[in-house]
Amino acid sequence: LSLSQQVQAALAGKSGIYLDSSSITGMWQDSLKTTPVTVATNPVYVFTSKYGAAQYEFAAVADASRPLFDTTSMIYDGTDDRLLLQSTAFGQNVPALAVVAYVKPATLKVQSTVQVSINVATSSRLYQGLNADGSVRTVSRRLDADADTTITSAAGLISAGTAYVLTSIIDFAGTGAMTMRINGTQVATGTVGGSAGNTSNTVTNRVQLGAVSAANFLNGELGRMIICGFLPTAGEITLFESLVSEVAI
């Protein structure tokens, strides 16, 4: 089976999102989905996920906030580009969250790849980001009332203009372990604060690509990405990392 077919099987019937930035299928330039994305430099207003138990539509908040399609990735301008998944239960009442994202920063600054947030805009169940010193971080809280727990890698592990597979894994209901990897190598660990259990069963506010809340905008490219509302096995994590980096950005 191809990597794509293996990932499809791994996500079948599960709380999972696969965003394939190398395929224009499910990409639209406008909110009404009348104009499909056809060539590089087209702006992306709607981006539809694949696989998992359901399909999800990520959408821009305005024309000015649309990233640009770039054949195998989307280019975010670092100013206001972001795509949001709203009015959905994704990430609600789940035992774990994992994100595997292929990212190429154009500059080094405080910026975000993805935010999974419930109820309160600043209350991230999982927030994956990059720092100005070349380190990466994952921020999390299980419940809105919990304090944030942040794990951060050593500085100087990423550079502008180079693509990296960033993996963040949080086991809320089990050990509480937080793990972050770069290109398959573990670079940061910790334990999420508060008590163990599923994430808060409140209404999801957003899953956001390219920003956290309305700040820390990504300046660079986002390639393929997988977001899981379950705890992947070690083999599944390796599979997901292989798929997102299968095509260069």
Side-chain angles (χ1 to χ4, degrees), residues 10 21 43-44 58 83 97 104 118 128 131 146 163 170 188 191 214 219 221 239 244-245:
S21 59
V44 181
F58 288 74
L83 295 176
L97 283 168
K104 181 193 287 186
I118 295 180
Q128 185 188 84
N131 297 316
D146 291 340
I170 306 170
T191 303
N219 181 23
E221 299 176 49
L239 171 63
V244 300
S245 59

Side-chain angles (χ1 to χ4, degrees), residues 134-160:
S135 63
V136 294
R137 69 189 180 283
T138 297
V139 182
S140 179
R141 65 171 79 176
R142 186 177 74 85
L143 305 176
D144 292 337
D146 291 340
D148 283 341
T149 301
T150 302
I151 58 172
T152 305
S153 75
L157 297 185
I158 60 171
S159 303

